[in-house]
Amino acid sequence: MSKEKFNSEVTSVDSGPPHQPEFYDPSKETIWTRIGLSLESFKRAPGTTGGQTIAGGGNLEDFERAKADNPMLQQKMKPRHLKMIAVGGSIGTGLFVGSGGALHTGGPAALVIAWIIIGIMLVNVTQALGEMSILYPVSGGFYTLANRFLDPSFAFAMGWNYVLQWAVVLPLEITVAGITVQYWTKEVHIAAWITVFWVLIMILSVFGTLGFAEEEFWSSCLKLLVVVMFIFIGIICICGGGPKTGVYSEYIGGRYWSDPGPFAHGFPGLCSVFVTAAFSFAGTELVGLAASETPNPRETMPAAVKGTFWRITIIYITSLTIIGLLIPYNEERLLGGKGAAASPFVIAMDRAHIKGLNHFVNVTICVSVLSIGLSCVYAGSRTLTALAETGYAPRIFSYVDKSSRPLFSVIAILMWAPLAYVNTKVVGNLVFNWLLAMSGLSTLFTWGSICLCHIRFRRAWQVQGHSVEELPYQAFGGIWGSVLGLVLIGLVLIAQFYSALWPVGGMDPDPKVVVSTFFQSWLAIPIMLLFYAIGFAWKRTLPKRAHEIDLDTGRKSWLTVEDMRKWHAERAAAPWHIRTYRKLFSH
């Protein structure tokens, strides 16, 4: 089966059942309305979202299928957008700034070990997410899948926890952006910079999906350029090729692994680094949310999912290994610095005395922080809209305008940004630490729910008589990859529990501080349990048995085993270099 025929088959089944009602066609609007720069663009888009009547009538079954197959969030993302979101979308504060604190706390060996373990976990998560998102590119991504394959009450808890996570991270990122700018000047109060970045994020949010996608594409290009440049410069400096005025004018090799050593605080230091590593990868799952806003996920998602592996291997592991070789973990700026001053990338350039590069890296950190802030608005608003569409949030949040913006959901997330101003007060750090604790482990819970969804999906797929050969994309680890992902998430949670009871540097003599530190580390769990209790009390739902799970609504591929075998046979006949490229980077 040729690629053209395969795509036509998918398109034909994507068109839905016969006599499907008509839907709002955004292409008939003016260009100013489509990009969100007219008053008309803020009006509700007519269609299924928000309980609008479908033009032409139709029964309830048609309505539910049409709602899943035709999300009001328009398919504006292009393949280049999705690939760069997957490859560079989550490169930000965690790598550029957070890795410095992790190096000081755990040492260079702990830094690499923690990121490798989290990376292995994440590869399995994204593979599972890719398999499901290609088959079901539904609005709300993994929240909607959890609602279908797991339990609506659990999905309610996971969805609201995910919204809360990004709502709280937004003011954090804006604060870090303000601190980063102060690397050049401290004369302007940080509150002014917080206002500037808040306004910038609001302006970019006006452009909706397209604004987010374009900003992510170009910022990811910049971040990748800087990291790759840093890798090459770092290797040269390690070999002693740095400027004579700097500390890298002679070969240093693994000097800092011997003195002061590979581990900063032994096993407690290693355990404390895991959550920082997980935070640095937060946002990778956005490709699952973006699937419904991509015209052809069948073609674009595999490349995006496979890009995750290369980002982890090349970008994270390589750059962090070089950082551990360039900077000792007892570097003073790692210990007491803030924002960009604690960035190991900036510190390495300062130590090398390479003029200008420290400023270039700092500019990139600013752009990265702004990028992650915009991701907060995108991820939080899309999940909030999906919650509203399934009846688990006020209906006002299901409002989608003619420019494909979930308008009130975007406003709701943006309104959390002023919390950044609490950092201008003495008690700001205390308030902010507790706010962050509310979503501290949310990323791990989200990844765990994706693995659970995949396990339940595969079980239902098998019980209902389907073959894995029917799947347009198969996670390379299959169901056991998701099991491994869950096991690793469990180990990270155990490590977090250990570091909360036995923190680095020993337990504080004040019992109040001990209790406060422990609850800050684990506050996300009682919040998840509270959300679950609310969801269960509200809807009184229980998980469905495997044979009762709906595998048809929103499904985008109805190809048979024979069709898939023909397609694979044709691809197997391609030249070896094309097969290799497809295996590693495409599909």
Side-chain angles (χ1 to χ4, degrees), residues 125-159:
V125 170
T126 53
Q127 285 287 322
L129 182 60
E131 178 178 300
M132 294 184 292
S133 297
I134 290 169
L135 192 63
Y136 302 101
V138 290
S139 177
F142 37 84
Y143 158 73
T144 305
L145 296 175
N147 193 37
R148 178 183 302 186
F149 298 131
L150 296 179
D151 172 42
S153 299
F154 177 83
F156 172 88
M158 190 273 288

PDB file of all heavy atoms in Angstrom, residues 125-159:
ATOM      1  N   VAL A 125       7.124   6.743  28.473  1.00  0.00           N
ATOM      2  CA  VAL A 125       5.888   7.527  28.586  1.00  0.00           C
ATOM      3  C   VAL A 125       5.502   8.121  27.235  1.00  0.00           C
ATOM      4  O   VAL A 125       4.348   8.039  26.807  1.00  0.00           O
ATOM      5  CB  VAL A 125       6.055   8.646  29.640  1.00  0.00           C
ATOM      6  CG1 VAL A 125       4.872   9.617  29.583  1.00  0.00           C
ATOM      7  CG2 VAL A 125       6.167   8.053  31.038  1.00  0.00           C
ATOM      8  N   THR A 126       6.470   8.723  26.548  1.00  0.00           N
ATOM      9  CA  THR A 126       6.153   9.365  25.267  1.00  0.00           C
ATOM     10  C   THR A 126       5.816   8.338  24.193  1.00  0.00           C
ATOM     11  O   THR A 126       5.000   8.617  23.310  1.00  0.00           O
ATOM     12  CB  THR A 126       7.330  10.241  24.794  1.00  0.00           C
ATOM     13  OG1 THR A 126       8.530   9.466  24.790  1.00  0.00           O
ATOM     14  CG2 THR A 126       7.505  11.443  25.689  1.00  0.00           C
ATOM     15  N   GLN A 127       6.433   7.162  24.246  1.00  0.00           N
ATOM     16  CA  GLN A 127       6.069   6.109  23.300  1.00  0.00           C
ATOM     17  C   GLN A 127       4.623   5.674  23.503  1.00  0.00           C
ATOM     18  O   GLN A 127       3.851   5.517  22.535  1.00  0.00           O
ATOM     19  CB  GLN A 127       7.007   4.906  23.461  1.00  0.00           C
ATOM     20  CG  GLN A 127       8.389   5.112  22.893  1.00  0.00           C
ATOM     21  CD  GLN A 127       8.412   5.088  21.380  1.00  0.00           C
ATOM     22  OE1 GLN A 127       7.709   4.306  20.737  1.00  0.00           O
ATOM     23  NE2 GLN A 127       9.220   5.956  20.787  1.00  0.00           N
ATOM     24  N   ALA A 128       4.234   5.480  24.755  1.00  0.00           N
ATOM     25  CA  ALA A 128       2.842   5.106  25.053  1.00  0.00           C
ATOM     26  C   ALA A 128       1.887   6.215  24.633  1.00  0.00           C
ATOM     27  O   ALA A 128       0.819   5.956  24.048  1.00  0.00           O
ATOM     28  CB  ALA A 128       2.696   4.811  26.547  1.00  0.00           C
ATOM     29  N   LEU A 129       2.257   7.449  24.923  1.00  0.00           N
ATOM     30  CA  LEU A 129       1.416   8.584  24.567  1.00  0.00           C
ATOM     31  C   LEU A 129       1.287   8.717  23.058  1.00  0.00           C
ATOM     32  O   LEU A 129       0.209   9.009  22.531  1.00  0.00           O
ATOM     33  CB  LEU A 129       2.007   9.867  25.168  1.00  0.00           C
ATOM     34  CG  LEU A 129       1.221  11.163  24.947  1.00  0.00           C
ATOM     35  CD1 LEU A 129      -0.176  11.061  25.545  1.00  0.00           C
ATOM     36  CD2 LEU A 129       1.976  12.335  25.562  1.00  0.00           C
ATOM     37  N   GLY A 130       2.389   8.472  22.339  1.00  0.00           N
ATOM     38  CA  GLY A 130       2.348   8.551  20.888  1.00  0.00           C
ATOM     39  C   GLY A 130       1.415   7.519  20.287  1.00  0.00           C
ATOM     40  O   GLY A 130       0.643   7.816  19.374  1.00  0.00           O
ATOM     41  N   GLU A 131       1.473   6.290  20.797  1.00  0.00           N
ATOM     42  CA  GLU A 131       0.599   5.226  20.283  1.00  0.00           C
ATOM     43  C   GLU A 131      -0.867   5.591  20.441  1.00  0.00           C
ATOM     44  O   GLU A 131      -1.670   5.421  19.512  1.00  0.00           O
ATOM     45  CB  GLU A 131       0.889   3.920  21.016  1.00  0.00           C
ATOM     46  CG  GLU A 131       0.001   2.760  20.581  1.00  0.00           C
ATOM     47  CD  GLU A 131       0.346   1.470  21.305  1.00  0.00           C
ATOM     48  OE1 GLU A 131       1.489   1.013  21.166  1.00  0.00           O
ATOM     49  OE2 GLU A 131      -0.534   0.924  22.010  1.00  0.00           O
ATOM     50  N   MET A 132      -1.233   6.130  21.610  1.00  0.00           N
ATOM     51  CA  MET A 132      -2.638   6.450  21.862  1.00  0.00           C
ATOM     52  C   MET A 132      -3.064   7.727  21.164  1.00  0.00           C
ATOM     53  O   MET A 132      -4.187   7.823  20.646  1.00  0.00           O
ATOM     54  CB  MET A 132      -2.878   6.566  23.379  1.00  0.00           C
ATOM     55  CG  MET A 132      -2.695   5.267  24.130  1.00  0.00           C
ATOM     56  SD  MET A 132      -3.109   5.391  25.903  1.00  0.00           S
ATOM     57  CE  MET A 132      -1.799   6.465  26.484  1.00  0.00           C
ATOM     58  N   SER A 133      -2.181   8.733  21.111  1.00  0.00           N
ATOM     59  CA  SER A 133      -2.551  10.025  20.531  1.00  0.00           C
ATOM     60  C   SER A 133      -2.717   9.946  19.020  1.00  0.00           C
ATOM     61  O   SER A 133      -3.511  10.691  18.445  1.00  0.00           O
ATOM     62  CB  SER A 133      -1.505  11.084  20.880  1.00  0.00           C
ATOM     63  OG  SER A 133      -1.438  11.299  22.264  1.00  0.00           O
ATOM     64  N   ILE A 134      -1.967   9.068  18.373  1.00  0.00           N
ATOM     65  CA  ILE A 134      -2.115   8.900  16.932  1.00  0.00           C
ATOM     66  C   ILE A 134      -3.449   8.238  16.612  1.00  0.00           C
ATOM     67  O   ILE A 134      -4.124   8.598  15.650  1.00  0.00           O
ATOM     68  CB  ILE A 134      -0.935   8.083  16.371  1.00  0.00           C
ATOM     69  CG1 ILE A 134       0.345   8.915  16.434  1.00  0.00           C
ATOM     70  CG2 ILE A 134      -1.203   7.633  14.935  1.00  0.00           C
ATOM     71  CD1 ILE A 134       1.603   8.133  16.154  1.00  0.00           C
ATOM     72  N   LEU A 135      -3.833   7.275  17.433  1.00  0.00           N
ATOM     73  CA  LEU A 135      -5.109   6.589  17.214  1.00  0.00           C
ATOM     74  C   LEU A 135      -6.287   7.438  17.688  1.00  0.00           C
ATOM     75  O   LEU A 135      -7.353   7.437  17.072  1.00  0.00           O
ATOM     76  CB  LEU A 135      -5.105   5.253  17.954  1.00  0.00           C
ATOM     77  CG  LEU A 135      -6.230   4.268  17.623  1.00  0.00           C
ATOM     78  CD1 LEU A 135      -6.162   3.845  16.164  1.00  0.00           C
ATOM     79  CD2 LEU A 135      -6.150   3.049  18.536  1.00  0.00           C
ATOM     80  N   TYR A 136      -6.078   8.187  18.784  1.00  0.00           N
ATOM     81  CA  TYR A 136      -7.140   9.033  19.359  1.00  0.00           C
ATOM     82  C   TYR A 136      -6.606  10.457  19.577  1.00  0.00           C
ATOM     83  O   TYR A 136      -6.293  10.837  20.709  1.00  0.00           O
ATOM     84  CB  TYR A 136      -7.617   8.475  20.697  1.00  0.00           C
ATOM     85  CG  TYR A 136      -8.145   7.070  20.645  1.00  0.00           C
ATOM     86  CD1 TYR A 136      -7.360   5.998  21.066  1.00  0.00           C
ATOM     87  CD2 TYR A 136      -9.428   6.799  20.180  1.00  0.00           C
ATOM     88  CE1 TYR A 136      -7.833   4.699  21.026  1.00  0.00           C
ATOM     89  CE2 TYR A 136      -9.915   5.499  20.140  1.00  0.00           C
ATOM     90  CZ  TYR A 136      -9.108   4.457  20.559  1.00  0.00           C
ATOM     91  OH  TYR A 136      -9.594   3.163  20.511  1.00  0.00           O
ATOM     92  N   PRO A 137      -6.477  11.265  18.527  1.00  0.00           N
ATOM     93  CA  PRO A 137      -6.029  12.666  18.704  1.00  0.00           C
ATOM     94  C   PRO A 137      -7.185  13.538  19.186  1.00  0.00           C
ATOM     95  O   PRO A 137      -7.690  14.397  18.474  1.00  0.00           O
ATOM     96  CB  PRO A 137      -5.564  13.050  17.298  1.00  0.00           C
ATOM     97  CG  PRO A 137      -6.402  12.223  16.387  1.00  0.00           C
ATOM     98  CD  PRO A 137      -6.668  10.927  17.105  1.00  0.00           C
ATOM     99  N   VAL A 138      -7.639  13.294  20.426  1.00  0.00           N
ATOM    100  CA  VAL A 138      -8.836  13.936  20.949  1.00  0.00           C
ATOM    101  C   VAL A 138      -8.476  15.197  21.728  1.00  0.00           C
ATOM    102  O   VAL A 138      -7.369  15.344  22.249  1.00  0.00           O
ATOM    103  CB  VAL A 138      -9.620  12.970  21.865  1.00  0.00           C
ATOM    104  CG1 VAL A 138     -10.242  11.855  21.031  1.00  0.00           C
ATOM    105  CG2 VAL A 138      -8.716  12.375  22.937  1.00  0.00           C
ATOM    106  N   SER A 139      -9.420  16.102  21.809  1.00  0.00           N
ATOM    107  CA  SER A 139      -9.233  17.325  22.576  1.00  0.00           C
ATOM    108  C   SER A 139      -9.001  16.987  24.040  1.00  0.00           C
ATOM    109  O   SER A 139      -9.719  16.186  24.632  1.00  0.00           O
ATOM    110  CB  SER A 139     -10.471  18.217  22.431  1.00  0.00           C
ATOM    111  OG  SER A 139     -10.345  19.375  23.220  1.00  0.00           O
ATOM    112  N   GLY A 140      -7.986  17.604  24.639  1.00  0.00           N
ATOM    113  CA  GLY A 140      -7.677  17.329  26.037  1.00  0.00           C
ATOM    114  C   GLY A 140      -6.603  16.290  26.228  1.00  0.00           C
ATOM    115  O   GLY A 140      -6.135  16.071  27.336  1.00  0.00           O
ATOM    116  N   GLY A 141      -6.185  15.629  25.143  1.00  0.00           N
ATOM    117  CA  GLY A 141      -5.069  14.697  25.198  1.00  0.00           C
ATOM    118  C   GLY A 141      -5.222  13.619  26.240  1.00  0.00           C
ATOM    119  O   GLY A 141      -6.235  12.910  26.306  1.00  0.00           O
ATOM    120  N   PHE A 142      -4.214  13.467  27.094  1.00  0.00           N
ATOM    121  CA  PHE A 142      -4.160  12.355  28.034  1.00  0.00           C
ATOM    122  C   PHE A 142      -5.232  12.457  29.110  1.00  0.00           C
ATOM    123  O   PHE A 142      -5.608  11.451  29.702  1.00  0.00           O
ATOM    124  CB  PHE A 142      -2.770  12.258  28.684  1.00  0.00           C
ATOM    125  CG  PHE A 142      -2.150  13.583  28.975  1.00  0.00           C
ATOM    126  CD1 PHE A 142      -2.443  14.272  30.122  1.00  0.00           C
ATOM    127  CD2 PHE A 142      -1.266  14.158  28.074  1.00  0.00           C
ATOM    128  CE1 PHE A 142      -1.881  15.500  30.391  1.00  0.00           C
ATOM    129  CE2 PHE A 142      -0.682  15.379  28.331  1.00  0.00           C
ATOM    130  CZ  PHE A 142      -0.992  16.060  29.497  1.00  0.00           C
ATOM    131  N   TYR A 143      -5.751  13.681  29.400  1.00  0.00           N
ATOM    132  CA  TYR A 143      -6.862  13.772  30.346  1.00  0.00           C
ATOM    133  C   TYR A 143      -8.080  13.043  29.794  1.00  0.00           C
ATOM    134  O   TYR A 143      -8.728  12.251  30.487  1.00  0.00           O
ATOM    135  CB  TYR A 143      -7.235  15.226  30.648  1.00  0.00           C
ATOM    136  CG  TYR A 143      -8.647  15.344  31.170  1.00  0.00           C
ATOM    137  CD1 TYR A 143      -8.951  14.934  32.458  1.00  0.00           C
ATOM    138  CD2 TYR A 143      -9.683  15.802  30.356  1.00  0.00           C
ATOM    139  CE1 TYR A 143     -10.259  14.981  32.929  1.00  0.00           C
ATOM    140  CE2 TYR A 143     -10.977  15.850  30.823  1.00  0.00           C
ATOM    141  CZ  TYR A 143     -11.266  15.440  32.100  1.00  0.00           C
ATOM    142  OH  TYR A 143     -12.544  15.477  32.565  1.00  0.00           O
ATOM    143  N   THR A 144      -8.394  13.290  28.519  1.00  0.00           N
ATOM    144  CA  THR A 144      -9.544  12.641  27.892  1.00  0.00           C
ATOM    145  C   THR A 144      -9.332  11.130  27.819  1.00  0.00           C
ATOM    146  O   THR A 144     -10.277  10.352  28.004  1.00  0.00           O
ATOM    147  CB  THR A 144      -9.765  13.213  26.476  1.00  0.00           C
ATOM    148  OG1 THR A 144      -9.893  14.633  26.564  1.00  0.00           O
ATOM    149  CG2 THR A 144     -11.021  12.641  25.848  1.00  0.00           C
ATOM    150  N   LEU A 145      -8.090  10.703  27.558  1.00  0.00           N
ATOM    151  CA  LEU A 145      -7.801   9.272  27.509  1.00  0.00           C
ATOM    152  C   LEU A 145      -7.951   8.638  28.891  1.00  0.00           C
ATOM    153  O   LEU A 145      -8.460   7.515  29.014  1.00  0.00           O
ATOM    154  CB  LEU A 145      -6.383   9.055  26.974  1.00  0.00           C
ATOM    155  CG  LEU A 145      -6.137   9.505  25.526  1.00  0.00           C
ATOM    156  CD1 LEU A 145      -4.666   9.347  25.166  1.00  0.00           C
ATOM    157  CD2 LEU A 145      -7.013   8.735  24.553  1.00  0.00           C
ATOM    158  N   ALA A 146      -7.518   9.325  29.943  1.00  0.00           N
ATOM    159  CA  ALA A 146      -7.689   8.810  31.301  1.00  0.00           C
ATOM    160  C   ALA A 146      -9.166   8.710  31.658  1.00  0.00           C
ATOM    161  O   ALA A 146      -9.595   7.769  32.341  1.00  0.00           O
ATOM    162  CB  ALA A 146      -6.957   9.720  32.298  1.00  0.00           C
ATOM    163  N   ASN A 147      -9.959   9.657  31.185  1.00  0.00           N
ATOM    164  CA  ASN A 147     -11.395   9.638  31.426  1.00  0.00           C
ATOM    165  C   ASN A 147     -12.036   8.407  30.789  1.00  0.00           C
ATOM    166  O   ASN A 147     -13.005   7.854  31.309  1.00  0.00           O
ATOM    167  CB  ASN A 147     -12.020  10.909  30.856  1.00  0.00           C
ATOM    168  CG  ASN A 147     -13.435  11.141  31.330  1.00  0.00           C
ATOM    169  OD1 ASN A 147     -13.760  10.862  32.478  1.00  0.00           O
ATOM    170  ND2 ASN A 147     -14.295  11.622  30.455  1.00  0.00           N
ATOM    171  N   ARG A 148     -11.482   7.971  29.657  1.00  0.00           N
ATOM    172  CA  ARG A 148     -12.055   6.835  28.930  1.00  0.00           C
ATOM    173  C   ARG A 148     -11.487   5.501  29.403  1.00  0.00           C
ATOM    174  O   ARG A 148     -12.236   4.542  29.623  1.00  0.00           O
ATOM    175  CB  ARG A 148     -11.779   6.987  27.436  1.00  0.00           C
ATOM    176  CG  ARG A 148     -12.286   5.821  26.597  1.00  0.00           C
ATOM    177  CD  ARG A 148     -11.942   5.978  25.139  1.00  0.00           C
ATOM    178  NE  ARG A 148     -12.488   7.217  24.586  1.00  0.00           N
ATOM    179  CZ  ARG A 148     -12.418   7.537  23.299  1.00  0.00           C
ATOM    180  NH1 ARG A 148     -11.821   6.715  22.449  1.00  0.00           N
ATOM    181  NH2 ARG A 148     -12.920   8.661  22.859  1.00  0.00           N
ATOM    182  N   PHE A 149     -10.163   5.398  29.538  1.00  0.00           N
ATOM    183  CA  PHE A 149      -9.534   4.105  29.797  1.00  0.00           C
ATOM    184  C   PHE A 149      -9.369   3.780  31.281  1.00  0.00           C
ATOM    185  O   PHE A 149      -9.241   2.603  31.632  1.00  0.00           O
ATOM    186  CB  PHE A 149      -8.164   4.046  29.122  1.00  0.00           C
ATOM    187  CG  PHE A 149      -8.213   4.161  27.631  1.00  0.00           C
ATOM    188  CD1 PHE A 149      -7.393   5.051  26.955  1.00  0.00           C
ATOM    189  CD2 PHE A 149      -9.093   3.390  26.889  1.00  0.00           C
ATOM    190  CE1 PHE A 149      -7.432   5.166  25.583  1.00  0.00           C
ATOM    191  CE2 PHE A 149      -9.152   3.496  25.510  1.00  0.00           C
ATOM    192  CZ  PHE A 149      -8.321   4.383  24.855  1.00  0.00           C
ATOM    193  N   LEU A 150      -9.333   4.793  32.144  1.00  0.00           N
ATOM    194  CA  LEU A 150      -9.130   4.529  33.566  1.00  0.00           C
ATOM    195  C   LEU A 150     -10.427   4.711  34.343  1.00  0.00           C
ATOM    196  O   LEU A 150     -11.210   3.788  34.486  1.00  0.00           O
ATOM    197  CB  LEU A 150      -8.022   5.435  34.115  1.00  0.00           C
ATOM    198  CG  LEU A 150      -6.629   5.214  33.520  1.00  0.00           C
ATOM    199  CD1 LEU A 150      -5.617   6.191  34.114  1.00  0.00           C
ATOM    200  CD2 LEU A 150      -6.170   3.787  33.738  1.00  0.00           C
ATOM    201  N   ASP A 151     -10.642   5.927  34.813  1.00  0.00           N
ATOM    202  CA  ASP A 151     -11.806   6.191  35.648  1.00  0.00           C
ATOM    203  C   ASP A 151     -12.078   7.690  35.618  1.00  0.00           C
ATOM    204  O   ASP A 151     -11.138   8.483  35.816  1.00  0.00           O
ATOM    205  CB  ASP A 151     -11.532   5.721  37.084  1.00  0.00           C
ATOM    206  CG  ASP A 151     -12.623   6.139  38.051  1.00  0.00           C
ATOM    207  OD1 ASP A 151     -13.801   6.046  37.674  1.00  0.00           O
ATOM    208  OD2 ASP A 151     -12.283   6.557  39.170  1.00  0.00           O
ATOM    209  N   PRO A 152     -13.320   8.116  35.364  1.00  0.00           N
ATOM    210  CA  PRO A 152     -13.612   9.556  35.325  1.00  0.00           C
ATOM    211  C   PRO A 152     -13.215  10.295  36.601  1.00  0.00           C
ATOM    212  O   PRO A 152     -12.774  11.443  36.540  1.00  0.00           O
ATOM    213  CB  PRO A 152     -15.125   9.596  35.094  1.00  0.00           C
ATOM    214  CG  PRO A 152     -15.424   8.321  34.365  1.00  0.00           C
ATOM    215  CD  PRO A 152     -14.477   7.302  34.957  1.00  0.00           C
ATOM    216  N   SER A 153     -13.367   9.657  37.754  1.00  0.00           N
ATOM    217  CA  SER A 153     -12.995  10.318  39.009  1.00  0.00           C
ATOM    218  C   SER A 153     -11.483  10.535  39.088  1.00  0.00           C
ATOM    219  O   SER A 153     -11.015  11.590  39.522  1.00  0.00           O
ATOM    220  CB  SER A 153     -13.467   9.484  40.209  1.00  0.00           C
ATOM    221  OG  SER A 153     -14.869   9.349  40.201  1.00  0.00           O
ATOM    222  N   PHE A 154     -10.721   9.520  38.669  1.00  0.00           N
ATOM    223  CA  PHE A 154      -9.265   9.676  38.639  1.00  0.00           C
ATOM    224  C   PHE A 154      -8.864  10.716  37.601  1.00  0.00           C
ATOM    225  O   PHE A 154      -7.958  11.511  37.830  1.00  0.00           O
ATOM    226  CB  PHE A 154      -8.597   8.343  38.329  1.00  0.00           C
ATOM    227  CG  PHE A 154      -7.101   8.429  38.210  1.00  0.00           C
ATOM    228  CD1 PHE A 154      -6.303   8.406  39.340  1.00  0.00           C
ATOM    229  CD2 PHE A 154      -6.481   8.556  36.973  1.00  0.00           C
ATOM    230  CE1 PHE A 154      -4.925   8.502  39.246  1.00  0.00           C
ATOM    231  CE2 PHE A 154      -5.111   8.662  36.863  1.00  0.00           C
ATOM    232  CZ  PHE A 154      -4.333   8.628  38.002  1.00  0.00           C
ATOM    233  N   ALA A 155      -9.540  10.699  36.447  1.00  0.00           N
ATOM    234  CA  ALA A 155      -9.249  11.684  35.403  1.00  0.00           C
ATOM    235  C   ALA A 155      -9.538  13.099  35.902  1.00  0.00           C
ATOM    236  O   ALA A 155      -8.809  14.046  35.585  1.00  0.00           O
ATOM    237  CB  ALA A 155     -10.074  11.389  34.148  1.00  0.00           C
ATOM    238  N   PHE A 156     -10.606  13.246  36.678  1.00  0.00           N
ATOM    239  CA  PHE A 156     -10.930  14.540  37.281  1.00  0.00           C
ATOM    240  C   PHE A 156      -9.775  15.019  38.155  1.00  0.00           C
ATOM    241  O   PHE A 156      -9.338  16.181  38.063  1.00  0.00           O
ATOM    242  CB  PHE A 156     -12.209  14.405  38.099  1.00  0.00           C
ATOM    243  CG  PHE A 156     -12.547  15.613  38.926  1.00  0.00           C
ATOM    244  CD1 PHE A 156     -13.303  16.640  38.388  1.00  0.00           C
ATOM    245  CD2 PHE A 156     -12.131  15.725  40.243  1.00  0.00           C
ATOM    246  CE1 PHE A 156     -13.634  17.764  39.142  1.00  0.00           C
ATOM    247  CE2 PHE A 156     -12.441  16.837  41.009  1.00  0.00           C
ATOM    248  CZ  PHE A 156     -13.197  17.856  40.453  1.00  0.00           C
ATOM    249  N   ALA A 157      -9.256  14.111  39.006  1.00  0.00           N
ATOM    250  CA  ALA A 157      -8.151  14.477  39.898  1.00  0.00           C
ATOM    251  C   ALA A 157      -6.896  14.801  39.110  1.00  0.00           C
ATOM    252  O   ALA A 157      -6.219  15.806  39.368  1.00  0.00           O
ATOM    253  CB  ALA A 157      -7.884  13.329  40.876  1.00  0.00           C
ATOM    254  N   MET A 158      -6.588  13.962  38.130  1.00  0.00           N
ATOM    255  CA  MET A 158      -5.379  14.182  37.328  1.00  0.00           C
ATOM    256  C   MET A 158      -5.492  15.468  36.514  1.00  0.00           C
ATOM    257  O   MET A 158      -4.533  16.238  36.415  1.00  0.00           O
ATOM    258  CB  MET A 158      -5.149  12.983  36.408  1.00  0.00           C
ATOM    259  CG  MET A 158      -3.801  12.984  35.697  1.00  0.00           C
ATOM    260  SD  MET A 158      -3.804  13.902  34.142  1.00  0.00           S
ATOM    261  CE  MET A 158      -4.756  12.783  33.119  1.00  0.00           C
ATOM    262  N   GLY A 159      -6.664  15.707  35.913  1.00  0.00           N
ATOM    263  CA  GLY A 159      -6.858  16.895  35.089  1.00  0.00           C
ATOM    264  C   GLY A 159      -6.728  18.176  35.884  1.00  0.00           C
ATOM    265  O   GLY A 159      -6.003  19.109  35.478  1.00  0.00           O
TER     266      GLY A 159
END
